[in-house]
Amino acid sequence: MATEGADDAGGRPTDPADDERAEYDYAGGGVDRPALVADLERVVDGEVRFDEYTRTLYATDASAYEVTPVGVVFPTDTDDVTATVEYCHERSVPVLPRGGGTSLAGQTVNEAVVLDFTRHMDDIVGVDPDARTATAGPGVLLGDLNAELAAEGLKFAPDPAWGDKSALGGAIGNNSTGSHSLVYGKTDAYIEELEVVLADGSVHRFGELTVEEWRRRADGGGLVGRIYAALLAVVEESADAIRDAYPELKRNVSGYNLDRLVEEYEAVQAGDRETVNLARVLAGSEGTLGVVTEATVGLEPVPETKAMALLAYEDLVTALSDVATILSFDPAAVEVLDDVLLDLARETSEFGDLVDETVPEDAGSVLLVEFYADDDAEGRRLVAELLADRQPEVTTAADPDDPHRTDAPVRAVYAAEAHEQAERDRFWKLRKSGLPILLGRTTDAKHISFIEDTAVPPEHLPEYVEAFQELLADNDTFASFYAHAGPGCLHIRPLVNTKSVEGIETMEAIAEGATDLVFEYEGSVSGEHGDGRARTQWNRKLYGEAVFELFREIKTAFDPEWLLNPGQVCGDVSPTENLRFDPDYEFDAGFEPTLEWDNENGFQGMVELCHGCGGCRGPQETTGGVMCPTYRAANEEVLSTRGRANALRAAMSGDLDVEATDEEFLTEVLDLCIGCKGCSTDCPSEVDLAKLKAELQHEHHDRRGTTLRERLFANVEWTASVGSTLAPVSNWLPSLPGARGLLERTVGIARERELPTFRRESFVEWFDARGPAVSEAAADERVLLLPDTFTNYTDPAVPKAAVRVLEAAGVHVRVPDVGPSGRAAFSKGFLDVAEERAREVVTELAPRVEEGWEVVVCEPSDAVMVQSDYADLLGDNTSAELLAKHTFGVCEYLDVRGLDERLAFEAAEEPLVYHGHCHQKAIKRDHHAVGVLRRAGYDVEPLDSTCCGMAGSFGYEAEHYSMSRAIGRLLFEQVDDAGGAPVAPGASCRTQLGDREDGTAPDHPIQRLAAALAE
């Protein structure tokens, strides 16, 4: 590894490979790595992990880069950080501080000992509402911090796109900002004081101080004295060079934050302020100057209200030509989307309707403008003034002295406004559609982030974008231009295949050309996401040789041996080295996939789809959604979708020395994936880990056989049928002395879990004896109520309630004689069994659908099996597609067909708390029950909740019981906070909720509807 180390005689850093004191072979492992681990474990209270799996998981972030670290330490406090840094300093081992790993430029991957602060050092130490400050650990997520501050009407103002998953320490390291930088600027403006572990392991606090105190400390000697002296030399000797070299932009986070230092120093000299805040020098330093272990930051009041306008234009350049004028209205944000994104969005199921309903078909670009206001009237006035000025007749008749007047005609072809929260959310959803659309590509060519956030003054945007489009065309590719038009920072991700030599050459040409354009238009190579591996190379060109050498002097003053995140900001990392996908990359699944993979690159495309943004790492309290319940419960990287996806890709590309179908890999990486499918929707790239796990389990079964428990749960229909036949004896057996322990030892069923109670008469037997109450001749609708295993044998009250409600609505109901849907077999990786059962169901029911029948299912997981998963099992099967279109969850059917409008209800006044099923959420069909229950007269609060944690058989398995309960407690807390009676359509969810302390099993929504039917 070519990283800089100690100074040579000329004061320039040298390679530590030439330093005889570098006694530990930290890169090669061998005999030295165990010694390194053992030594660190003795001095650190937190975990020390140098195993291959952990190192693989921390080799990537949200960037295009991959570098395997030396190991990972999870410090518990500042003392742990001090001990780690001091130990590594003595042995010349590099150190890298890391937050959420959401960086896009590669600054959080390095061949170093990684310090992950998000596990333990994430406390909010204190909040002072009067002073508008908060003190917290570097690992606290911005979403958690702002949730804590909300009660005081305050917030940490910088709002990066992944703010709820980004750590405070990372925001400081990157000098982060966001969509509202026009109002709030960058993170450096909010840094009050930082506790920092320096390169030698000593601790120092940086903050406000007078120039006199600064000079005194500069004379103090030692590492701290050298730091203060070097910074003092900057303002006294290089201020003119700094002013000349730094672009005049709201958005510039390239290089070190020396312009801020000069600005504050000169303000003191002019008498405009009394102190300089040296802590702000560390903003944007990417962990190269010191390790932040605690931060005190300033806060801003949450705006009273907001208002938005949407402006559509013929093309992107026309839209950008209007930005400078719009800025004169003092908006809080001005965001842009181009025609590439709008066209791609129209083709997606997620955003197609949103674009069609919001944007005219002929629009080539959209600007979203947001205002902050003291009240709704002011918000409406601000938007009205902007929209009036966008009309040509108003503009031409305007007063010549109007500050908003322009000589060029205003060319917006369409305008709309949004004032209510739901309307504003709709506009922002349109804006945020860009990332998931671009990152959903499964080809070898991907939209990668290496020149993503270049920035220029807003008045130069039209010419800059036209020149950039020519640059892309010259290199036979394209990109989408979107994001922060107001401050001149556009997100630009060219489509490049870095797996080919030609792709690397294209990447180099675009990067160099983009840097030339930035220089020409007085901009910055990074307006938001930092230097890292992607842009460090260009700082010398941007700032000039003298200032670049000044950066290196500052780096050396803070870190004499260049051991803190070496190579970044002013080092020698190359933007085309250490790429995750490069010409040497190879992929070998080791087997032929069984399932259908409907994307450009099949199974491999899904394995390689995760780009590392960390969207799966968000906490339930602030993130919502389903993904990723195991991570939320345990805060372990390997239990996140990102962790599992990275490990799977590494195993199949040879970076991890294990086969993906080995018992070891399945146990270490995939065993605790509960198959909730949340990632298939909540992940911006829609990585489907549940489907990947099923594929790998199936291959593992084929190669290495199956266990008794796996076969029992995969064929749970047989087990339940026997239990029903033997009831009530089968229900007594588990209560016999020693029976629970025997079950746990023989088939691995957790002794703590209450087992299902089997009914002697199944639902199917009940219905066969009863028959339909509404004749086929008298009904307008005919329904086949598909029985599922759980409600058929253990909870027949649910389908009985469904029959009652459907028949009350005049529906003719039949129960088909057809086997299980195959859900249990699919979930356990018995894909051949699941496919066989899927074909049986399709063969039996598709002809009935052709005759006009529709299929209704009480259990959501079985409904989704037919609606979605059959396509994965059966591929291009027209009968399966027809059946999927005419299969509904029971409340979905009532809602879609409007049948509840035929019914009279007398609902109880008891408030309800609705927990939707994760599989229905994954295909966006979980909302129907809430609508029907509300129309029936119930007061219903839907929870934005993750999976219940039961997940079919998962919660019954002894080795999974503790994880199941940990996930369940997340749901229990939400239910308790909501304060109503829970209802849940999923059998697993009702089982988990029924095992709470009060022991009350909730109803299925259809039971509540049946109970509310008027006599």
Side-chain angles (χ1 to χ4, degrees):
M1 168 172 129
T3 54
E4 293 86 352
D7 288 353
D8 64 13
R12 299 179 63 84
T14 59
D15 193 317
D18 299 329
D19 188 348
E20 293 182 355
R21 295 183 299 105
E23 59 194 66
Y24 271 66
D25 179 20
Y26 55 84
V31 297
D32 291 321
R33 189 179 301 280
L36 188 60
V37 175
D39 287 351
L40 282 172
E41 285 180 335
R42 280 193 293 271
V43 298
V44 172
D45 290 334
E47 302 98 314
V48 178
R49 300 184 189 174
F50 283 49
D51 62 278
E52 188 177 14
Y53 281 101
T54 300
R55 295 169 63 228
T56 297
L57 297 176
Y58 283 81
T60 57
D61 54 10
S63 72
Y65 299 96
E66 181 172 20
V67 184
T68 303
V70 178
V72 183
V73 174
F74 301 87
T76 60
D77 54 24
T78 300
D79 288 343
D80 271 1
V81 178
T82 297
T84 303
V85 174
E86 182 178 15
Y87 178 89
C88 291
H89 175 261
E90 291 173 355
R91 291 155 182 80
S92 296
V93 179
V95 175
L96 167 63
R98 173 168 163 144
T102 59
S103 298
L104 290 165
Q107 54 267 66
T108 59
V109 293
N110 213 330
E111 192 172 1
V113 172
V114 173
L115 296 168
D116 184 345
F117 294 108
T118 59
R119 176 180 293 279
H120 302 299
M121 296 184 65
D122 60 348
D123 292 338
I124 300 173
V125 179
V127 176
D128 185 339
D130 295 331
R132 289 187 181 175
T133 62
T135 300
V140 66
L141 301 187
L142 300 187
D144 286 342
L145 177 60
N146 281 328
E148 181 80 9
L149 298 172
E152 305 293 344
L154 299 171
K155 66 176 181 176
F156 178 70
D159 56 346
W162 286 102
D164 53 350
K165 292 99 176 167
S166 302
L168 178 61
I172 294 168
N174 281 0
N175 201 6
S176 295
T177 179
S179 296
H180 298 90
S181 62
L182 291 172
V183 176
Y184 297 124
K186 298 174 292 190
T187 294
D188 61 355
Y190 302 94
I191 296 175
E192 300 295 331
E193 184 176 83
L194 298 178
E195 178 186 80
V196 180
V197 174
L198 299 176
D200 63 354
S202 60
V203 181
H204 188 73
R205 283 189 174 269
F206 292 94
E208 299 281 356
L209 80 173
T210 64
V211 172
E212 291 74 19
E213 176 63 15
W214 186 357
R215 296 185 192 281
R216 187 185 67 77
R217 294 186 184 184
D219 292 333
L223 179 59
V224 172
R226 290 197 299 272
I227 291 171
Y228 279 93
L231 295 177
L232 188 61
V234 168
V235 298
E236 291 184 337
E237 301 172 12
S238 302
D240 291 341
I242 296 295
R243 278 193 300 271
D244 291 342
Y246 278 69
E248 294 185 12
L249 286 173
K250 286 182 176 291
R251 293 294 199 99
N252 174 39
V253 294
S254 288
Y256 288 131
N257 203 26
L258 302 184
D259 55 337
R260 180 102 196 182
L261 181 68
V262 169
E263 177 186 332
E264 292 192 6
Y265 173 79
E266 293 184 341
V268 171
Q269 300 301 103
D272 296 330
R273 58 180 296 157
E274 297 179 353
T275 58
V276 178
N277 192 327
L278 295 192
R280 292 171 180 169
V281 173
L282 280 87
S285 63
E286 302 182 0
T288 63
L289 301 182
V291 181
V292 175
T293 51
E294 186 178 274
T296 299
V297 294
L299 308 173
E300 291 288 335
V302 175
E304 291 295 329
T305 191
K306 304 171 185 177
M308 293 188 71
L310 180 149
L311 299 167
Y313 299 82
E314 293 180 356
D315 54 60
L316 174 63
V317 173
T318 301
L320 296 177
S321 299
D322 204 16
V323 170
T325 302
I326 292 174
L327 290 176
S328 67
F329 288 82
D330 294 325
V334 182
E335 303 285 296
V336 66
L337 288 87
D338 70 354
D339 58 330
V340 174
L341 267 184
L342 293 173
D343 290 343
L344 288 172
R346 286 190 174 96
E347 298 172 4
T348 66
S349 58
E350 171 75 5
F351 301 107
D353 291 343
L354 176 64
V355 176
D356 289 340
E357 295 168 7
T358 309
V359 182
E361 186 175 356
D362 59 348
S365 184
V366 164
L367 292 179
L368 294 175
V369 185
E370 185 171 67
F371 293 95
Y372 288 166
D374 292 333
D375 52 41
D376 183 64
E378 183 188 16
R380 292 180 181 277
R381 176 182 61 79
L382 292 169
V383 169
E385 290 178 355
L386 175 70
L387 296 186
D389 195 67
R390 307 274 63 71
Q391 302 300 318
E393 62 272 15
V394 175
T395 303
T396 54
D399 186 330
D401 296 327
D402 187 333
H404 307 311
R405 178 182 172 84
T406 61
D407 294 330
V410 176
R411 290 157 290 188
V413 297
Y414 172 81
E417 55 189 285
H419 299 280
E420 300 300 324
Q421 181 70 50
E423 295 173 333
R424 299 198 308 270
D425 288 346
R426 187 174 178 82
F427 280 9
W428 276 112
K429 183 178 180 181
L430 174 65
R431 153 63 182 88
K432 293 180 179 180
S433 67
L435 189 66
I437 291 170
L438 293 177
L439 298 182
R441 186 180 290 274
T442 55
T443 58
D444 287 341
K446 296 184 181 296
H447 292 280
I448 60 175
S449 57
F450 63 101
I451 46 91
E452 182 190 36
D453 60 322
T454 53
V456 299
E459 62 270 20
H460 295 327
L461 279 175
E463 300 85 359
Y464 170 71
V465 166
E466 285 184 310
F468 212 121
Q469 289 173 328
E470 291 178 7
L471 171 65
L472 295 172
D474 290 344
N475 285 279
D476 296 321
T477 189
F478 70 96
S480 177
F481 294 75
Y482 70 103
H484 317 303
C489 180
L490 300 183
H491 291 340
I492 309 167
R493 290 192 174 206
L495 186 66
V496 179
N497 178 13
T498 59
K499 292 181 181 178
S500 69
V501 173
E502 296 78 12
I504 297 294
E505 293 172 349
T506 297
M507 180 180 175
E508 291 174 334
I510 293 174
E512 185 154 6
T515 306
D516 289 339
L517 288 176
V518 163
F519 191 80
E520 178 181 351
Y521 289 102
E522 301 174 338
S524 168
V525 293
S526 178
E528 185 169 19
H529 297 143
D531 295 321
R533 296 179 174 275
R535 287 180 283 267
T536 287
Q537 172 178 315
W538 308 113
N539 278 337
R540 188 189 301 270
K541 186 173 186 177
L542 177 68
Y543 290 110
E545 191 68 33
V547 171
F548 189 77
E549 286 302 315
L550 186 59
F551 290 165
R552 294 168 72 84
E553 291 172 11
I554 296 297
K555 165 68 173 173
T556 302
F558 274 87
D559 181 16
E561 293 189 47
W562 285 51
L563 294 175
L564 298 178
N565 200 10
Q568 320 295 310
V569 183
C570 57
D572 59 355
V573 291
S574 167
T576 56
E577 292 179 354
N578 299 115
L579 289 166
R580 190 183 310 183
F581 302 111
D582 61 21
D584 294 328
Y585 175 85
E586 296 180 356
F587 181 92
D588 181 12
F591 61 89
E592 286 297 321
T594 298
L595 297 172
E596 292 291 324
W597 294 90
D598 186 19
N599 64 63
E600 299 94 332
N601 216 2
F603 176 75
Q604 178 179 351
M606 180 60 71
V607 172
E608 296 175 352
L609 188 55
C610 174
H611 68 284
C613 73
C616 45
R617 289 171 43 98
Q620 176 69 38
E621 302 81 51
T622 57
T623 301
V626 177
M627 183 183 70
C628 181
T630 49
Y631 176 81
R632 291 175 179 178
N635 197 24
E636 282 277 3
E637 177 73 17
V638 73
L639 300 184
S640 68
T641 302
R642 178 175 75 177
R644 293 184 175 114
N646 277 331
L648 180 55
R649 176 183 50 78
M652 292 186 168
S653 64
D655 289 339
L656 190 60
D657 188 21
V658 65
E659 288 190 23
T661 54
D662 284 353
E663 188 72 32
E664 175 193 340
F665 183 88
L666 292 175
T667 300
E668 294 287 340
V669 177
L670 293 181
D671 183 55
L672 292 179
C673 170
I674 59 178
C676 67
K677 291 178 171 286
C679 50
S680 67
T681 299
D682 293 349
C683 168
S685 300
E686 299 184 351
V687 176
D688 193 339
L689 247 299
K691 186 176 176 181
L692 287 168
K693 180 183 179 181
E695 187 79 80
L696 293 169
Q697 282 181 308
H698 175 73
E699 179 64 18
H700 179 77
H701 296 332
D702 278 355
R703 290 190 184 189
R704 297 167 178 84
T706 60
T707 66
L708 172 62
R709 186 182 72 186
E710 288 171 335
R711 293 192 296 275
L712 284 174
F713 282 132
N715 294 279
V716 69
E717 171 81 8
W718 177 85
T719 307
S721 174
V722 172
S724 176
T725 300
L726 298 178
V729 175
S730 57
N731 298 323
W732 299 340
L733 291 176
S735 63
L736 296 176
R740 290 295 187 89
L742 180 62
L743 278 174
E744 184 169 294
R745 289 192 300 273
T746 55
V747 292
I749 296 177
R751 67 183 70 199
E752 300 91 343
R753 182 68 74 178
E754 289 295 323
L755 298 179
T757 299
F758 297 107
R759 307 297 178 184
R760 180 74 181 202
E761 182 185 55
S762 70
F763 163 71
V764 171
E765 291 170 339
W766 171 84
F767 190 86
D768 287 346
R770 171 189 181 273
V774 176
S775 69
E776 187 172 353
D780 293 327
E781 291 85 12
R782 295 179 295 167
V783 157
L784 299 170
L785 186 61
L786 182 65
D788 65 271
T789 299
F790 189 89
T791 58
N792 186 32
Y793 293 110
T794 70
D795 197 6
V798 171
K800 288 178 182 179
V803 170
R804 184 183 177 200
V805 173
L806 290 168
E807 291 184 339
V811 178
H812 176 65
V813 180
R814 290 281 186 179
V815 177
D817 182 15
V818 63
S821 69
R823 163 59 64 200
F826 187 94
S827 297
K828 303 306 290 184
F830 287 78
L831 299 184
D832 48 351
V833 176
E835 180 183 349
E836 179 182 347
R837 290 173 179 169
R839 292 192 185 281
E840 291 173 357
V841 172
V842 171
T843 300
E844 174 66 26
L845 298 186
R848 307 287 295 277
V849 169
E850 290 177 351
E851 296 170 359
W853 291 78
E854 293 186 301
V855 178
V856 171
V857 190
C858 292
E859 170 56 37
S861 61
D862 286 82
V864 173
M865 187 71 187
V866 179
Q867 293 167 326
S868 176
D869 295 326
Y870 277 8
D872 295 332
L873 285 166
L874 305 179
D876 188 11
N877 184 306
T878 54
S879 294
E881 292 173 4
L882 177 67
L883 180 60
K885 291 178 182 177
H886 291 274
T887 297
F888 306 87
V890 61
C891 290
E892 177 188 6
Y893 182 71
L894 294 172
D895 190 26
V896 170
R897 295 291 180 251
L899 298 183
D900 60 304
E901 297 176 3
R902 304 177 184 177
L903 302 173
F905 292 102
E906 295 177 355
E909 295 183 359
E910 180 183 20
L912 303 180
V913 179
Y914 175 76
H915 167 65
H917 194 280
C918 49
H919 286 187
Q920 283 188 319
K921 291 179 181 180
I923 62 170
K924 304 187 183 306
R925 298 194 183 194
D926 68 305
H927 60 283
H928 298 285
V930 174
V932 176
L933 286 168
R934 284 175 172 169
R935 289 195 296 275
Y938 286 107
D939 177 14
V940 186
E941 179 181 345
L943 297 178
D944 187 8
S945 50
T946 187
C947 178
C948 69
M950 194 68 187
S953 65
F954 182 89
Y956 287 105
E957 296 162 4
E959 69 271 30
H960 298 148
Y961 176 77
S962 60
M963 174 59 75
S964 172
R965 296 296 289 173
I967 297 171
R969 281 190 287 274
L970 299 175
L971 175 59
F972 300 164
E973 291 173 6
Q974 286 187 286
V975 171
D976 292 342
D977 290 344
V983 292
S988 289
C989 309
R990 297 195 301 277
T991 299
Q992 183 81 295
L993 286 165
D995 282 351
R996 291 182 301 159
E997 290 185 6
D998 63 12
T1000 303
D1003 286 335
H1004 188 295
I1006 197 67
Q1007 292 176 283
R1008 287 288 179 159
L1009 291 172
L1013 284 173
E1015 293 297 332

